Amino acid sequence: MTPEELLDVFHRRIRLPDADAIPGWKQEHDGPVHRSYVEGAEGAGFVETPRGLGDDPDAVIAQEVAFFRERGLPFEWKTYAYDEPADLGERLVRAGFTQEEPETLILGEIDRILQRPSALPSKVRLREADGPDDYQRIGVLTDALWHNGVERIVERLAGEARMFPDRLSVFLVEDALKGPDGPAVSAAWIRFHPGTGFASLWGGGTLPEWRRQGIYSALLAHRARLAKERGYEFLRVDASEDSRPILQKLGLYAVTTTTPYQWELADAHAGTTH
């Protein structure tokens, strides 16, 4: 399939039906808005508008800010380069959002990935995460790489794996000599979206001293094989600039860009009852 065909399939199967919301999050469609969120101490929200914003975009934006402010939750508004209106990002910034680094939406057919050989270096071991200790190690790794907090990722991955074990698989790579006594050197997970043909890839961060040894590619191929075994056809990745060239080299396509805009409430987690 061409990049244009892949984007069309993704838009129809994933974005329009909102088929990639995180399992367990509340999911609502309110006019043009697709909204999902989870409440609690580590609560957060997510918004996107795949059909555009109608005649009064600023009113819709204000409505979402009010919705999440009332609940004391920060949230992300995810935009795609082809979203309407074309100046959506500028409107979000004027409404108090902070623009984050753009990512590239990478799509591809699983069979293309599996045509290419990949192997882990012999000094590491890849295995599926098993229990709280492994999630804690993954949280420490991701916080060291992206400074996104240890407990948040631990709570979300562990909770999702517990409630929806058939829709998430989490993997870590460890030093074969140190095993569970050492830090995780890389970690990644895959979410399955039933009825869409798509599985999505997340994580993939690797400690700097372990990069350029084929770990990222091997983790990707491992998850692709698992998706193939479950009957999935396509992979989706929201890729950083570090990951994009590797994914394209492995046979996936860059089809558009996405840009997250974050809205924060200064006291969202202070003195607020969720």
Side-chain angles (χ1 to χ4, degrees):
M1 297 178 71
T2 67
E4 294 76 16
E5 290 170 333
L6 286 165
L7 180 57
D8 178 66
V9 173
F10 173 81
H11 187 79
R12 288 186 289 104
R13 295 190 187 181
I14 296 293
R15 291 200 73 199
L16 291 181
D18 202 13
D20 61 348
I22 296 176
W25 284 37
K26 296 179 182 178
Q27 198 171 357
E28 301 171 350
H29 291 180
D30 185 0
V33 171
H34 290 184
R35 177 196 303 135
S36 59
Y37 60 100
V38 63
E39 298 183 274
E42 296 294 333
F46 183 89
V47 163
E48 64 173 289
T49 50
R51 293 179 174 86
L53 282 178
D55 296 331
D56 194 348
D58 292 330
V60 177
I61 293 169
Q63 168 190 295
E64 293 311 300
V65 169
F67 178 92
F68 285 101
R69 177 184 284 123
E70 180 180 342
R71 288 156 181 79
L73 297 175
F75 73 105
E76 173 185 319
W77 193 307
K78 184 166 187 173
T79 68
Y80 288 72
Y82 63 89
D83 281 353
E84 298 289 344
D87 65 347
L88 174 57
E90 297 170 21
R91 292 174 183 267
L92 290 169
V93 170
R94 288 200 299 269
F97 289 75
T98 301
Q99 178 180 334
E100 298 203 334
E101 287 297 316
E103 296 178 316
T104 302
L105 176 64
I106 302 284
L107 302 175
E109 297 169 271
I110 288 174
D111 286 343
R112 282 178 60 86
I113 293 289
L114 298 181
Q115 289 171 1
R116 298 172 181 266
S118 63
L120 278 170
S122 59
K123 53 190 174 183
V124 300
R125 180 178 67 165
L126 185 160
R127 63 179 178 83
E128 190 159 5
D130 180 24
D133 289 346
D134 283 344
Y135 290 119
Q136 181 69 24
R137 294 168 71 206
I138 290 170
V140 170
L141 169 68
T142 59
D143 184 56
L145 295 173
W146 301 311
H147 312 293
N148 53 1
V150 175
E151 293 308 317
R152 176 170 291 189
I153 191 67
V154 171
E155 180 179 295
R156 290 186 181 175
L157 285 179
E160 190 178 340
R162 182 177 63 253
M163 293 186 292
F164 304 94
D166 295 334
R167 295 182 61 174
L168 176 76
S169 292
V170 182
F171 301 95
L172 71 161
V173 176
E174 54 196 15
D175 186 327
L177 294 179
K178 297 180 180 179
D181 294 327
V185 304
S186 185
W189 44 101
I190 180 169
R191 288 190 175 100
F192 302 98
H193 307 287
T196 68
F198 278 89
S200 56
L201 305 182
W202 305 93
T206 303
L207 290 176
E209 61 269 28
W210 290 90
R211 293 172 187 168
R212 303 185 187 281
Q213 299 184 49
I215 293 175
Y216 183 93
S217 299
L219 262 172
L220 187 145
H222 182 80
R223 289 174 289 166
R225 283 191 293 272
L226 180 59
K228 176 73 172 180
E229 291 169 2
R230 296 192 181 190
Y232 288 83
E233 306 169 70
F234 306 107
L235 292 178
R236 172 261 186 95
V237 189
D238 293 344
S240 67
E241 276 304 294
D242 291 334
S243 303
R244 179 187 55 77
I246 304 172
L247 293 164
Q248 290 180 284
K249 184 177 179 180
L250 292 171
L252 300 178
Y253 293 106
V255 300
T256 191
T257 58
T258 72
T259 304
Y261 291 81
Q262 298 290 340
W263 186 86
E264 298 285 346
L265 185 65
D267 59 350
H269 299 300
T272 303
T273 301
H274 299 304

